Amino acid sequence: MDFELDEQGRAMAETGKRLAGALAERAAGADERRLIPAESFAELRAAGLYGAGFPAELGGLGVRSTAWLATVEQLAQGDASTALGFNMHYVATRLAGELPSFDAAARKHVASLVIDDGALISAPLSEPSSSSLLPGSFLPTVTAARTPDGGLRVSGTKMFASIWEASDYAFMLARPDWSDDPTLVIAFLLPVAQPEHIVVEDVWDTLGMRATRSNKVAIDGAHVPAELVLGPIDNFVANWIVAQAAITWGGYTGCYLGLAEAMVAWLAENLGTRTAKGYAQPMGYHPTISSAVGRIATHVEAARLMMYRAAWKADTEGPGLGTCHAYLQAKLMLADAIGRVVELGTTAGGLNALMRPRGYERMLRDVTTAAIMPPNAYACAEMAGLITMGLDPAQAPSLATG
């Protein structure tokens, strides 16, 4: 097992690190105003990252799980909201580019929209009543009907639609009205500029991740052209929640890893250099503070190693229960590590850490959702426990649907 990045991974990490500095300059303002920083996404586009998820044969960079983790780990240290929102673009493009059930012509067309035209794609995948404690509740409630031109007419509501208002298209899943199979969904790209059929409700006034603008979206009869209908996904739980773990939620877990690392770095810098009045040594020499920093740095490093192990398994073994298990354990470990950062690090940092201009306070708010975003920490623990015991997660009551 070798966690060393290959040439592409090193290049992607370096690009992410370079861009993180520019993203950081806009992070506080975007958070304050609850605005998606358009300039930051323009820089990501200019750096060639919009096509990262597409395979080389479609003109993309073919960035797989480990290299993408290395990228968002760096981006999130500059601005976690931008990294999290942009990761959803990667989710959409990578799935559109590689799922075998998708139409080849549609796949090529989508790649052209992104790589040639610079289209930004959001990926609203949460349902109004969904909970990661009940994985089966992620079955789409949006419905799709065929139109005479070979396209789709879709209606329904999506929640937590990150970067929707900045995107050109939304990668979505819907339940086709021509099938009686409740586990069959149809995937497509929805053009978002349909104001007569799509209404965004601004409900995203949150504690953290404010600049993702993950609002509620109501869709009533919006049209999907035939060339943007990607294709079906059957057995949704097995072929989406389990098989696509590395893509659908592994990437944004990497964003929280980068954010946790940035918090540790902030504490190390500030506590390691600040000297109290009347003392000759920095505050970090106090055993309580050095112990706190030592503990949180160790927990975050353990989570980092588990994240890279999961990404490595995705790249070397492909999708499957073993890879999903590794991601469940990594996300759970990261949630626990972040809990230690919040508990020990913030106390060690003191009131100085909560002064908004210093930057730590924003990261503290942004990291709050790490344990909540699907699959949340409880769901990770439940599913990881079942797999560890050799039990079939598909038989868990939380997966049963009516």
Side-chain angles (χ1 to χ4, degrees):
M1 187 179 300
D2 185 1
F3 293 150
E4 290 295 323
L5 295 175
D6 60 13
E7 183 178 351
Q8 183 192 56
R10 290 192 297 272
M12 291 295 294
E14 185 58 38
T15 298
K17 184 176 182 179
R18 174 176 57 81
L19 290 169
L23 268 54
E25 296 175 2
R26 307 182 187 95
D31 169 76
E32 182 72 27
R33 298 190 300 273
R34 295 194 303 119
L35 294 177
I36 300 168
E39 300 92 339
S40 293
F41 281 88
E43 292 198 26
L44 294 169
R45 181 191 294 113
L49 295 187
Y50 271 33
F54 286 112
E57 58 266 27
L58 292 178
L61 301 180
V63 175
R64 303 299 85 184
S65 298
T66 305
W68 184 246
L69 169 58
T71 309
V72 294
E73 181 186 10
Q74 294 297 327
L75 290 175
Q77 294 183 51
D79 180 9
S81 286
T82 297
L84 195 68
F86 188 58
N87 177 74
M88 301 316 293
H89 172 89
Y90 173 81
V91 168
T93 54
R94 183 167 171 190
L95 291 171
E98 71 178 37
L99 284 193
S101 60
F102 288 174
D103 179 76
R107 188 193 311 276
K108 187 174 181 180
H109 180 60
V110 171
S112 176
L113 290 174
V114 172
I115 297 168
D116 299 332
D117 299 344
L120 181 64
I121 305 178
S122 57
L125 301 174
S126 296
E127 303 300 318
S129 59
S130 62
S131 166
S132 56
L133 292 173
L134 302 167
S137 67
F138 277 85
L139 278 163
T141 56
V142 172
T143 58
R146 291 190 178 108
T147 57
D149 63 357
L152 300 173
R153 187 70 62 187
V154 298
S155 297
T157 302
K158 300 300 297 186
M159 291 296 293
F160 314 129
S162 299
I163 69 165
W164 178 286
E165 294 149 297
S167 65
D168 302 290
Y169 302 91
F171 175 90
M172 289 179 58
L173 308 172
R175 182 173 296 180
D177 71 351
W178 59 86
S179 173
D180 295 328
D181 182 356
T183 71
L184 176 70
V185 303
I186 188 80
F188 52 87
L189 252 60
L190 175 68
V192 302
Q194 301 186 57
E196 67 278 19
H197 298 291
I198 299 173
V199 176
V200 177
E201 184 179 347
D202 186 3
V203 297
W204 193 248
D205 191 0
T206 56
L207 177 67
M209 292 293 180
R210 292 160 57 82
T212 64
R213 289 194 61 81
S214 306
N215 281 311
K216 179 180 179 180
V217 179
I219 305 165
D220 184 12
H223 182 243
V224 178
E227 63 270 19
L228 295 180
V229 179
L230 290 163
I233 302 173
D234 61 5
N235 194 359
F236 179 77
V237 171
N239 291 328
W240 182 262
I241 294 176
V242 175
Q244 303 305 326
I247 304 174
T248 56
W249 48 271
Y252 68 63
T253 306
C255 295
Y256 286 108
L257 169 64
L259 181 54
E261 291 173 330
M263 295 174 77
V264 172
W266 190 97
L267 291 165
E269 169 65 22
N270 283 271
L271 296 174
T273 58
R274 214 169 84 224
T275 302
K277 185 177 180 180
Y279 287 81
Q281 291 180 309
M283 295 176 65
Y285 276 107
H286 193 286
T288 301
I289 290 177
S290 60
S291 294
V293 173
R295 287 180 181 276
I296 64 175
T298 300
H299 277 80
V300 171
E301 178 62 14
R304 180 178 183 275
L305 292 173
M306 292 186 73
M307 276 300 307
Y308 273 92
R309 172 179 174 270
W312 175 83
K313 285 180 72 71
D315 287 340
T316 57
E317 299 178 12
L321 197 59
T323 296
C324 183
H325 190 202
Y327 273 99
L328 289 167
Q329 291 177 314
K331 190 172 190 297
L332 177 59
M333 182 64 192
L334 180 59
D336 288 348
I338 286 170
R340 300 296 276 171
V341 174
V342 172
E343 174 195 2
L344 297 175
T346 305
T347 304
L351 288 175
N352 184 64
L354 299 183
M355 300 295 183
R356 297 187 71 180
R358 300 299 305 278
Y360 183 88
E361 181 268 351
R362 185 186 68 255
M363 293 188 287
L364 183 63
R365 287 186 289 104
D366 282 348
V367 85
T368 305
T369 46
I372 299 172
M373 283 188 71
N376 73 27
Y378 293 121
C380 287
E382 177 195 356
M383 292 299 154
L386 289 170
I387 298 170
T388 298
M389 292 184 289
L391 300 176
D392 182 2
Q395 300 302 312
S398 63
L399 282 170
T401 57

